[in-house]
Amino acid sequence: MNKAARPRVVLGVSGGIAAYKACELLRRLTESGHDVRVVPTASALHFVGAATWSALSGQPVATEVWSDVHEVPHVRIGQGADLVVVAPATADLLAKAAHGLADDLLTNTLLTARCPVVFAPAMHTEMWEHPATQENVATLRRRGAVVVEPAVGRLTGVDTGKGRLPDPGEIYEVCRRVLARGVREPDLTGRHVVVSAGGTREPLDPVRFLGNRSSGKQGYALARSAAARGARVTLVAANTAGALSDPAGVDLVPVGTAAELREAVLAAAATADAVVMAAAVADFRPAAYAPGKIKKRDGQEPDPIVLVRNPDILAEVSRDRARPGQVVVGFAAETDDVLDNGRAKLRSKGCDLLVVNEVGERKTFGADENEAVVLGADGTLTPVPFGPKDAVADTVWDLVAARFPGAPTG
Ligand code: CTP
């Protein structure tokens, strides 16, 4: 990519121990062709020095408004950016940004930027939960910033709790999506969405289960896309642990069986504006669970496996809408008569939208690409051409957002 065409990203770094993780974010951004200008605060430089930022970005590192004054850096850096991402964002930095203070180069940059802004906070749990911080976060979100919820886990010292900087690779994923959309106002801010992903497993005995080939990638793409568009996301993930990395800013609820998935989805749906059922839920489970391993017996045929039906979660969520105006989306994988079967399924499930996939070699299970048709209960049909699962995710959220009460029509 020629230099002029490269998206210009300002990476603001404020003074927390997680500053070292921003080096990895910087590396991801530069290696994927972004022109990155690092603006550390004075306290950030206590953790990682200017030489590191300069070497990794290939650019001089400006830290204060008083150097190169003739270039007016306190205005120019923000004005010229396509994206500003602050990682880690400390409680102090969030407070300054929320109140429009501008006492160093980074806070000046935040005031002059007219592009999308992403904050990835990291701090101790008490500081994150403090009403002052929460109100500052709410203010920044209301003004159009994407504030990524911190992860839960080990903090500095012996403490654990909410406040960890999410995985830098996942913060990069948020930046990539926000840059691709290029809009300053995330359209799902203030919304709570529930996404189910992965494939349920129904245990036969302590070592065996009935499962399916769902990888969870489409559900994860939906969760990442919703978070980058500002939503609070609950991701109910069936058997994805270890295979997929946790999306940044997303509340992940791991489950195993269809019954566990149902419980988690119904609990989260109580406050949700939208529920998207991308998980492959087993329609049947073994009638009996053998508490000890089922052994083969010489000269004897195995006992048949008797199955019973699992509840249809999508049909239940659609029927019992937990909130007025809640939008419910289902998925269907079909091999034959794709559209006819899809329309029949949309009616029988009672959802608002049904994403219909034709099962094919390069598509659906385990693949990074997908091709789909989204059918609406109102008779609409939206094709999504073959492409990354992100494209299906963004089309789904476009269609969901258009169905929220009060959404602009036409
Ligand atoms: N689903 C669900 N609960 C189930 C089964 C499926 O909520 N017990 C949801 C899935 O998450 C998906 C949609 O329903 O959104 C898929 O419907 P389903 O009827 O299971 O599709 P197929 O497996 O394609 O159905 P069939 O075997 O009848 O073709």
Side-chain angles (χ1 to χ4, degrees):
M1 210 183 294
N2 79 45
K3 197 169 184 316
R6 292 194 292 163
R8 285 158 304 177
V9 176
V10 172
L11 170 60
V13 185
S14 56
I17 183 66
Y20 77 93
K21 293 190 190 170
C23 299
E24 174 64 15
L25 173 60
L26 171 57
R27 207 180 55 77
R28 296 267 180 140
L29 286 164
T30 51
E31 282 179 2
S32 52
H34 299 86
D35 178 359
V36 190
R37 188 80 197 252
V38 185
V39 183
T41 63
S43 356
L45 293 174
H46 287 295
F47 294 96
V48 180
T52 303
W53 302 121
S54 181
L56 287 175
S57 66
Q59 303 231 39
V61 170
T63 57
E64 49 151 321
V65 286
W66 305 115
S67 24
D68 305 316
V69 175
H70 62 288
E71 288 174 3
V72 209
H74 74 287
V75 176
R76 293 283 174 265
I77 294 176
Q79 279 178 337
D82 296 308
L83 174 77
V84 178
V85 50
V86 185
T90 57
D92 179 65
L93 187 281
L94 294 172
K96 283 180 176 156
H99 290 84
L101 299 185
D103 60 356
D104 65 5
L105 191 58
L106 179 54
T107 45
N108 273 277
T109 299
L110 286 166
L111 274 188
T112 50
R114 292 294 173 269
C115 58
V117 178
V118 174
F119 293 95
M123 63 197 73
H124 262 73
T125 311
E126 292 83 350
M127 297 174 94
W128 172 250
E129 287 176 349
H130 195 286
T133 305
Q134 287 302 306
E135 278 174 34
N136 290 333
V137 167
T139 300
L140 293 168
R141 284 185 175 145
R142 206 175 50 247
R143 290 194 197 129
V146 173
V147 184
V148 180
E149 287 286 309
V152 176
R154 180 88 195 270
L155 305 170
T156 325
V158 293
D159 298 345
T160 53
K162 189 163 183 173
R164 254 175 91 82
L165 190 74
D167 178 63
E170 289 293 334
I171 301 174
Y172 167 73
E173 288 295 324
V174 175
C175 295
R176 197 170 66 75
R177 283 169 175 76
V178 170
L179 258 173
R181 285 181 66 72
V183 287
R184 194 170 151 80
E185 301 288 325
D187 58 344
L188 298 179
T189 295
R191 302 290 184 181
H192 174 209
V193 304
V194 180
V195 177
S196 70
T200 60
R201 290 179 182 173
E202 307 298 321
L204 273 165
D205 68 16
V207 294
R208 302 183 180 93
F209 58 81
L210 299 181
N212 60 67
R213 285 152 55 96
S214 174
S215 66
K217 285 181 180 172
Q218 183 61 70
Y220 273 57
L222 280 153
R224 290 191 178 101
S225 159
R229 290 167 73 156
R232 176 160 84 82
V233 184
T234 306
L235 174 60
V236 180
N239 305 299
T240 53
L244 300 173
S245 75
D246 296 355
V250 163
D251 185 14
L252 195 143
V253 185
V255 295
T257 63
E260 289 166 7
L261 189 132
R262 175 176 173 274
E263 204 174 306
V265 166
L266 294 184
T271 57
D273 298 289
V275 179
V276 180
M277 287 291 297
V281 183
D283 289 320
F284 310 100
R285 68 178 182 278
Y289 172 74
K293 187 181 172 194
I294 303 168
K295 304 290 280 182
K296 58 183 172 300
R297 286 159 300 185
D298 285 344
Q300 279 189 39
E301 288 298 313
D303 292 335
I305 297 170
V306 180
L307 300 174
V308 291
R309 281 290 291 267
N310 273 331
D312 189 322
I313 306 161
L314 176 60
E316 188 175 347
V317 172
S318 301
R319 188 191 61 225
D320 300 342
R321 311 273 167 150
R323 300 183 69 193
Q326 187 176 68
V327 180
V328 181
V329 184
F331 273 70
E334 303 289 345
T335 51
D336 309 291
D337 303 326
V338 175
L339 284 184
D340 286 348
N341 282 333
R343 286 200 181 94
K345 197 165 282 178
L346 177 68
R347 275 194 299 276
S348 72
K349 301 272 187 179
C351 50
D352 302 293
L353 296 162
L354 190 77
V355 185
V356 188
N357 299 124
E358 188 172 358
V359 181
E361 240 173 49
R362 285 184 305 151
K363 297 174 276 186
T364 316
F365 297 114
D368 292 320
E369 280 87 23
N370 205 351
E371 180 179 3
V373 173
V374 189
L375 301 175
D378 49 6
T380 51
L381 184 155
T382 312
V384 191
F386 185 76
K389 286 185 169 171
D390 286 351
V392 175
D394 269 322
T395 303
V396 168
W397 294 125
D398 289 346
L399 295 169
V400 166
R403 280 162 178 75
F404 281 144
T409 50

